[in-house]
Amino acid sequence: MIDPLEINSGPDADPPHHYPPFLTRDLVPEVRTRLATQFPEIIPTDQRKPLVSEAAFLALALQLPHGENPLEAFNSLFSLPIKQGILETHFTHWETREAWRERYRHQRKNKLLTPEAIENPQWATIAPARPVVFRFDARNRSAIDAKLSQLDAQGIHHEERVEGDRLTIRVFGHRVMLAFPKTMCPFQCTYCTLPGANDGTRGYERPADGTRRTITPNNQFHAFRKALDATKSDEIHPPVVEILNDGSWYSDQEISPETHEIILADVAKRPYVQCLAVESRPDYLDAKGVGKIKKDFDRLRPDQQLKIYIGLETTDDFVASVARKWYGWAEFEAAVEAIAQLPPEDRNRISIVSYNIMKQWCMTDRDALEESVHLVEKIDALSRRTGIPIEVKHEPTIVSKGSDQHYFFHQITPEGDRMYQNLSYFTVAELIARLHLKGLTHRIAFGQRDDIDEIETIAMVPRLGNRLLHSPLDFLVYDAVQRFQTDGNIRTFLVNIYRALKDPANHFTNEFFSWEEELYGREGSALGKLIRDYPLNTLSEDEKRQIELQQHLCDFSEILEKDTSLQRLSSEDNQVGLRESIQQRFETHATQEGYEFFKVNNVISVDITKDDVGQSHDTVPPGYQVEVIIRREGIPSSIWLFIPKTGLEKFEV
Ligand code: SF4
């Protein structure tokens, strides 16, 4: 009998470069200068929260000759997670982050892929998409007409816009997102557990003689096609297909050229697909990588676009370093500049998206918000300079088992606080409001809640008095954010989020008020300002209906979460029964309310407080996180329910 943990342990491929152990050490000369000139100013007052980059400077200050007492300053300034994260060896009574991660990695590896699963997608779902934009010379009528008639034939919604001698066609619709088995990503970014899905994939078959087989391009192709079938793509025509495996599409060690060939040939034959999106680290996007991009363009139809997601995550090299990215802004910028060297006909077909994991373990909600605004501003400047369209896809972080967020989430301070708390979804909505005021919302998109595997808790609007339970208003905020990216219309966004901010008596809701107070103190939020100033007193009939339906969906979700028959199925771990019962209830509700039920997507068993190290104020019973996808006017919406194994009453305040 072969021990599965013996097989293929460790990364399947070596990282492509040798990286320094701690990126910020390169910053020492800059730190010296900054400390000499700025040290007194970085002592915050009670009102000010220290930014993580300042934590980096102070951490380094501990190693520098200095007249002040940096250790004392450090101790008084920074929160426990930051101190522990930076000075981990000083906290020997806790399991280290490395040991924590390994423990979860091994637990997961016990569930290695079976030979039967090798040709199945790891997951496939649909979500709202940013419009795909085609740019034409307005005089090139034949190319414009060809595109328009192709879109009309597929029933794909689009708009034309003339800007001087340019004409743009904006294509609207949804995206299909999928992943299939592959050789695992060799990196270990501290917030990410995606490679775990492929840990051992290269040696997936474990017959008695111990031989192993490698996944073939054909296996991957079959999984890819099944993902498109499972999401009814030939029926509902997604203009965007996103292949979101772990790691890098442009690393030959992870995805072979044959897989590129066979999958892109299929994408080229699907007339409804306007854009293919893939992911890659910037390490693989040098001149050689750009050559591979050119080959991909040759495989796609000439009218199809390519979008490359790059996990930049932050402009702050300290944050990049603690997240163990092994690259920072400079490497990202170099990759964009290399891509800008493509010939003009290909440059017109490419766009880049920078991921932003909004809240790394060392950040507060305010840090996450300010850094996200800063990231979009820098991306905007880079895009203008290089002429390459670049957006930022914000990923409101989830706590994923084995990640650093997970580790700090379960470390409880003597006061009963969790050392890491998920981002509030109000903070995500606030980012839209802040960027709207800067005229930069055309640069942003938002990820789904389940974009990273092994979910334990998700970013949400928490219930007052218990941060582990989502508020009934959570759906409104999540849905408003997701829908905003389809058209970028701020009025529609405010209509969608209205009931989460204002109650029927037109007062701010308690959840919003409490979030605003905690994040900004007396300063007030941009979201509050927008909803105060925006002329929503003249709602159209459609808008009123929309608000009413949103309210009904919130009420319905609340009823399901408290339904004792569902709780019984949850307590019996009857996942099939839970799925079927929730599906039936939604189908009936959809018929009554005039929307379309699409599917019950995720049914995830969670026991959130099981791994707590210490006693927290916030606690919930074990249960199931269930994601239901519905469609309204063709746009998907995702509703998350928590079905506990026992009643929630005693956990609510
Ligand atoms: S974030 Fe990307 S590069 Fe980092 S471990 Fe995850 S899949 Fe690999």
Side-chain angles (χ1 to χ4, degrees), residues 5 18 111 127 153 198 248 354 473 523:
L5 299 184
H18 174 69
K111 302 182 228 157
N198 288 309
S248 295
S354 148
L473 305 179
E523 212 178 306

PDB file of all heavy atoms in Angstrom, residues 5 18 111 127 153 198 248 354 473 523:
ATOM      1  N   LEU A   5       0.719  10.365   1.086  1.00  0.00           N
ATOM      2  CA  LEU A   5       1.525  11.530   1.446  1.00  0.00           C
ATOM      3  C   LEU A   5       2.967  11.395   0.963  1.00  0.00           C
ATOM      4  O   LEU A   5       3.714  12.357   0.911  1.00  0.00           O
ATOM      5  CB  LEU A   5       1.503  11.754   2.959  1.00  0.00           C
ATOM      6  CG  LEU A   5       0.125  12.030   3.538  1.00  0.00           C
ATOM      7  CD1 LEU A   5       0.227  12.333   5.015  1.00  0.00           C
ATOM      8  CD2 LEU A   5      -0.541  13.187   2.822  1.00  0.00           C
ATOM      9  N   HIS A  18      15.784  32.147  -8.476  1.00  0.00           N
ATOM     10  CA  HIS A  18      16.157  32.147  -7.064  1.00  0.00           C
ATOM     11  C   HIS A  18      15.709  33.482  -6.481  1.00  0.00           C
ATOM     12  O   HIS A  18      15.999  34.532  -7.019  1.00  0.00           O
ATOM     13  CB  HIS A  18      17.668  31.990  -6.924  1.00  0.00           C
ATOM     14  CG  HIS A  18      18.113  32.130  -5.518  1.00  0.00           C
ATOM     15  ND1 HIS A  18      17.814  31.184  -4.563  1.00  0.00           N
ATOM     16  CD2 HIS A  18      18.788  33.112  -4.885  1.00  0.00           C
ATOM     17  CE1 HIS A  18      18.302  31.584  -3.404  1.00  0.00           C
ATOM     18  NE2 HIS A  18      18.893  32.745  -3.573  1.00  0.00           N
ATOM     19  N   LYS A 111      -7.043  13.632   0.254  1.00  0.00           N
ATOM     20  CA  LYS A 111      -8.196  13.522  -0.646  1.00  0.00           C
ATOM     21  C   LYS A 111      -7.716  13.649  -2.094  1.00  0.00           C
ATOM     22  O   LYS A 111      -8.278  14.384  -2.885  1.00  0.00           O
ATOM     23  CB  LYS A 111      -9.190  14.646  -0.353  1.00  0.00           C
ATOM     24  CG  LYS A 111      -9.704  14.702   1.046  1.00  0.00           C
ATOM     25  CD  LYS A 111     -10.705  15.842   1.148  1.00  0.00           C
ATOM     26  CE  LYS A 111     -10.452  16.714   2.338  1.00  0.00           C
ATOM     27  NZ  LYS A 111     -10.970  18.046   2.229  1.00  0.00           N
ATOM     28  N   ALA A 127     -20.817  33.946 -13.597  1.00  0.00           N
ATOM     29  CA  ALA A 127     -20.863  35.168 -12.781  1.00  0.00           C
ATOM     30  C   ALA A 127     -20.986  36.366 -13.712  1.00  0.00           C
ATOM     31  O   ALA A 127     -20.707  36.249 -14.911  1.00  0.00           O
ATOM     32  CB  ALA A 127     -19.584  35.280 -11.950  1.00  0.00           C
ATOM     33  N   ALA A 153     -26.112  37.460 -34.397  1.00  0.00           N
ATOM     34  CA  ALA A 153     -26.458  36.052 -34.656  1.00  0.00           C
ATOM     35  C   ALA A 153     -26.419  35.231 -33.372  1.00  0.00           C
ATOM     36  O   ALA A 153     -27.143  34.247 -33.222  1.00  0.00           O
ATOM     37  CB  ALA A 153     -25.494  35.470 -35.685  1.00  0.00           C
ATOM     38  N   ASN A 198      -4.167  20.581  -6.778  1.00  0.00           N
ATOM     39  CA  ASN A 198      -3.364  19.819  -7.732  1.00  0.00           C
ATOM     40  C   ASN A 198      -2.140  19.180  -7.084  1.00  0.00           C
ATOM     41  O   ASN A 198      -1.249  18.704  -7.783  1.00  0.00           O
ATOM     42  CB  ASN A 198      -2.919  20.738  -8.877  1.00  0.00           C
ATOM     43  CG  ASN A 198      -4.089  21.074  -9.778  1.00  0.00           C
ATOM     44  OD1 ASN A 198      -4.798  20.180 -10.219  1.00  0.00           O
ATOM     45  ND2 ASN A 198      -4.310  22.350 -10.020  1.00  0.00           N
ATOM     46  N   SER A 248       0.269  29.366 -13.438  1.00  0.00           N
ATOM     47  CA  SER A 248       0.582  30.173 -14.612  1.00  0.00           C
ATOM     48  C   SER A 248       0.324  29.442 -15.921  1.00  0.00           C
ATOM     49  O   SER A 248       0.949  28.416 -16.202  1.00  0.00           O
ATOM     50  CB  SER A 248       2.056  30.592 -14.561  1.00  0.00           C
ATOM     51  OG  SER A 248       2.257  31.432 -13.456  1.00  0.00           O
ATOM     52  N   SER A 354      -5.003  43.062 -12.935  1.00  0.00           N
ATOM     53  CA  SER A 354      -4.192  42.808 -11.749  1.00  0.00           C
ATOM     54  C   SER A 354      -5.120  42.345 -10.636  1.00  0.00           C
ATOM     55  O   SER A 354      -6.124  42.998 -10.347  1.00  0.00           O
ATOM     56  CB  SER A 354      -3.499  44.104 -11.332  1.00  0.00           C
ATOM     57  OG  SER A 354      -3.343  44.126  -9.936  1.00  0.00           O
ATOM     58  N   LEU A 473     -28.661  41.718   5.472  1.00  0.00           N
ATOM     59  CA  LEU A 473     -28.362  42.733   4.453  1.00  0.00           C
ATOM     60  C   LEU A 473     -27.184  42.338   3.564  1.00  0.00           C
ATOM     61  O   LEU A 473     -26.908  42.983   2.559  1.00  0.00           O
ATOM     62  CB  LEU A 473     -28.017  44.074   5.125  1.00  0.00           C
ATOM     63  CG  LEU A 473     -29.049  44.632   6.100  1.00  0.00           C
ATOM     64  CD1 LEU A 473     -28.549  45.937   6.694  1.00  0.00           C
ATOM     65  CD2 LEU A 473     -30.368  44.854   5.371  1.00  0.00           C
ATOM     66  N   GLU A 523     -15.330  60.767  10.683  1.00  0.00           N
ATOM     67  CA  GLU A 523     -15.021  61.263   9.336  1.00  0.00           C
ATOM     68  C   GLU A 523     -16.167  61.037   8.341  1.00  0.00           C
ATOM     69  O   GLU A 523     -16.411  61.838   7.452  1.00  0.00           O
ATOM     70  CB  GLU A 523     -13.802  60.463   8.863  1.00  0.00           C
ATOM     71  CG  GLU A 523     -12.836  61.139   7.952  1.00  0.00           C
ATOM     72  CD  GLU A 523     -11.695  60.157   7.655  1.00  0.00           C
ATOM     73  OE1 GLU A 523     -11.073  59.638   8.607  1.00  0.00           O
ATOM     74  OE2 GLU A 523     -11.461  59.893   6.482  1.00  0.00           O
TER      75      GLU A 523
END
